[in-house]
Amino acid sequence: MARVLMKGTEAIAEAAIQAGCKYFFGYPITPQNEIPEYMSAKLPKIGGAYVQAESEVAAINMVMGGGATGTKIMTSSSSPGISLMSEGLSYIAGCEIPAVIVNVMRAGPGLGGILPAQGDYFQATKGGGNGDYRLLVLAPSTLQEAVDLTQLAFDLAFKYRNPVMILADGFMGQMMEAVEIKEYKGQDYDVVPWALGNMEKRGKRTILKSLYLDPGDLEHHNIKLNEKYKKMQEEEVRYEEFYADDADVLIAAFGTTARIAKSAIVNLRKEGKKVGMVRPITLFPFPYDVIKERASKAKHVLVMEMNMGQMLEDVKLAVGERTPVSFFGHAGGISHSVKEIEEKIREIL
């Protein structure tokens, strides 16, 4: 597909289709409605199916059923809708079923507002549902990156047999940029040995479950899952460094907030001020080591988020007591401006 101008939500949807996703189950909620709208128009034309469920609870359970067959499955929602999906996400992780979930965040808590925010960091990275489970969480900063990470998400979901979440904010969902969406082959998942159905090709009956009545069996299952999450932490940490190697003030930010911070960093560098940034791309697994290493050489770490301080806790765990850490946040749908970031950095310096 040539480079084209697309809205973020539609670019994510098309990227999923090019990655081989033919089945989408969802329920409308702003500001991500264009994803199910796009899927409803496109999927029937390629032999797939779009199903609008009666609720987010129904949608995530349809995702579990579809994903159990070893098929590429996706759903999308926004903040309170993801809350309704939390129980199903725990079931999907417990059953080790691959699936991709897109959360285009709105402001909260509760119904909040439809303007952009980053208040779902805790929900995504610390587990919104019950039990010892983790989601792989990818946080794009540009629409091209959203496209690339959406396609990567399907491979990661199958590699680890685990749900993967794309965590974007309302800005990214509604903005338009030029993107290139390539047909993404990835691995051939036509027949997977663990999946349900198609016994003639698989040669055996399989059972997927998260119910273990024997305590020893359940502990063994949890240990197995935890080993998988450890492997993610060893192999899947992704981040971007931007003038971070000699920064006196090191910014930690993700998503759209990091994108805005880049402009401020460029301007301040022209003034001779050593400002840099580490941007986590994977929120789980979190890049603790690189933030720890870069912060050890800095005089101050500034965490910036469109919330009241959620990633802040992970940054503090990484930095420890070695370097002062402060927080600069907005909530309710208000974003940082380049000018106020520059003023904040000057104040720190």
Side-chain angles (χ1 to χ4, degrees), residues 217-228:
D217 290 343
L218 182 55
E219 182 179 55
H220 176 76
H221 182 60
N222 274 278
I223 290 171
K224 174 189 171 186
L225 294 178
N226 193 55
E227 289 301 314
K228 179 168 63 176

Side-chain angles (χ1 to χ4, degrees), residues 28-33 78 104 106 114:
I29 177 174
T30 51
Q32 62 82 52
N33 280 338
S78 180
V104 183
R106 62 196 292 177
I114 64 171

Side-chain angles (χ1 to χ4, degrees), residues 68-71 189-206:
T69 66
T71 305
Y189 300 112
D190 287 343
V191 178
V192 288
W194 53 261
L196 304 183
N198 204 351
M199 282 186 61
E200 290 184 2
K201 289 185 178 180
R202 293 188 176 90
K204 64 178 181 178
R205 180 170 178 257
T206 55

